[in-house]
Every structure is written in C-alpha cells, then in structure tokens.
Amino acid sequence: MTVLEAVEADITTQDVDAIVNAANSQLLGGGGVDGAIHAAAGAALLEECRQVRASRWHDGLPVGEAVATGAGELPARWVIHTVGPNRHRGQTDPALLASCFSGSLDEAARIGARSVAFPAISAGVYGWDADEVAQTAVSTVRSWVASHPDEVDLVRFVLFGSAVHQAFDTALAT
C-alpha cells in the first residue's frame, strides 16, 4: 500500500529515490524550487538537463510532461522535471496540472523510483491557488496509485510554508 504524506520541509534534503522539480520549460534552472534544486544538485544536474534538451526536447519541455535525470549532489537518486501550467499565461486547465503529477509518477515507475517527493507544482509564482493545487495533486496521485498499486511505496508532498502545508493536509484528510 502506497503511503501519501505531507511535510513542511526543504525538498532538496529529502532522502527519497526521486524528487520532482517544478521546472521551467528550458530545464536550465530558475527561481523557487527549480533554483533551489539546481543549486543543491550542482553542475552535474545542469549538464544532464542540457543533454536532455539537445537529445529530445529541443524547444523545451512542454507543460505537463516529465523527464528524469540524475540528481547530482542531492540525497535523491533522480530528479524528475515537470513544467506546471502558468495561470498568468492563461494555462488554467486543471488537467494540465494533473498531468504534471501523473506524468511524474509514470516517469518514477519507468526508472524504478519507489519513493517520490513532490513540491506544490504551480502554486505561488505560477498563480495557482494552493488549495486547488493540493486537491488536484492528491486526487491525481490517489487515482494513479489505484491503477498502479505496486509501483511506488511513498509519495511525499514536501511543502514550503505552513499555509501550503495545511492545504495539502486538508486535501489528504478528505
């Protein structure tokens, strides 16, 4: 049975198989979670992201897609990069947000990751309300786990700030 939990912590310190990066489409680092993951992982992560861009996603990773790289100096083995929808750019379809979570779990299963840590993808600077992100994330992960019962043992939502943490605790309690 897969465990789902929410913690208020730094995602770069999580001892899990894979952490999910709320990346920008260029995969070259940025602000927020993306910048923190790139800074903690070191130069190896940036180099792998450049290789991904050169080999497959020449124009950048599309919204809702996911791709895995190594994790550089992070405690995790892999980083799964996904690009969340940006409300400020008119990307308001909850299905796009849901695909970030399900696609990341598909990628985790593909690489053999049994434990995965997610941030609150698209909450904050991308303009999505934390409650909506939490509800979408939890319902999507629950649905994915129900259809893939033996793929992942732990899904941990690693959240920045008590308000976002509370939104995920509420979603997990329903």
Side-chain angles (χ1 to χ4, degrees):
M1 178 173 193
T2 303
V3 173
L4 275 64
E5 63 185 17
V7 298
E8 186 176 345
D10 178 349
I11 199 165
T12 68
T13 65
Q14 296 301 297
D15 187 16
V16 292
D17 295 334
I19 62 171
V20 176
N21 181 16
N24 63 50
S25 65
Q26 301 308 306
L27 299 179
L28 302 178
V33 170
D34 190 21
I37 288 172
H38 273 269
L45 180 61
L46 181 58
E47 182 54 36
E48 280 199 61
C49 287
R50 285 185 174 135
Q51 290 172 10
V52 167
R53 287 287 311 277
S55 67
R56 181 169 177 199
W57 299 107
H58 306 288
D59 296 326
L61 188 65
V63 172
E65 294 287 335
V67 65
T69 64
E73 298 173 28
L74 294 166
R77 184 170 175 192
W78 296 286
V79 175
I80 299 170
H81 309 268
T82 189
V83 180
N86 187 332
R87 274 199 181 275
H88 305 300
R89 294 186 180 163
Q91 298 166 342
T92 59
D93 184 355
L96 282 175
L97 182 59
S99 69
C100 293
F101 292 95
S102 60
S104 294
L105 288 170
D106 288 341
E107 192 70 0
R110 185 189 70 76
I111 61 178
R114 302 292 303 179
S115 56
V116 182
F118 278 98
I121 298 166
S122 290
V125 72
Y126 275 20
W128 285 72
D129 177 72
D131 291 324
E132 186 174 4
V133 170
Q135 291 166 4
T136 300
V138 170
S139 66
T140 301
V141 169
R142 282 181 174 152
S143 177
W144 189 93
V145 166
S147 63
H148 303 80
D150 299 321
E151 296 290 337
V152 175
D153 300 320
L154 170 68
V155 175
R156 179 179 297 147
F157 298 104
V158 182
L159 309 155
F160 183 78
S162 60
V164 178
H165 182 212
Q166 182 58 49
F168 275 78
D169 275 347
T170 300
L172 285 167
T174 59

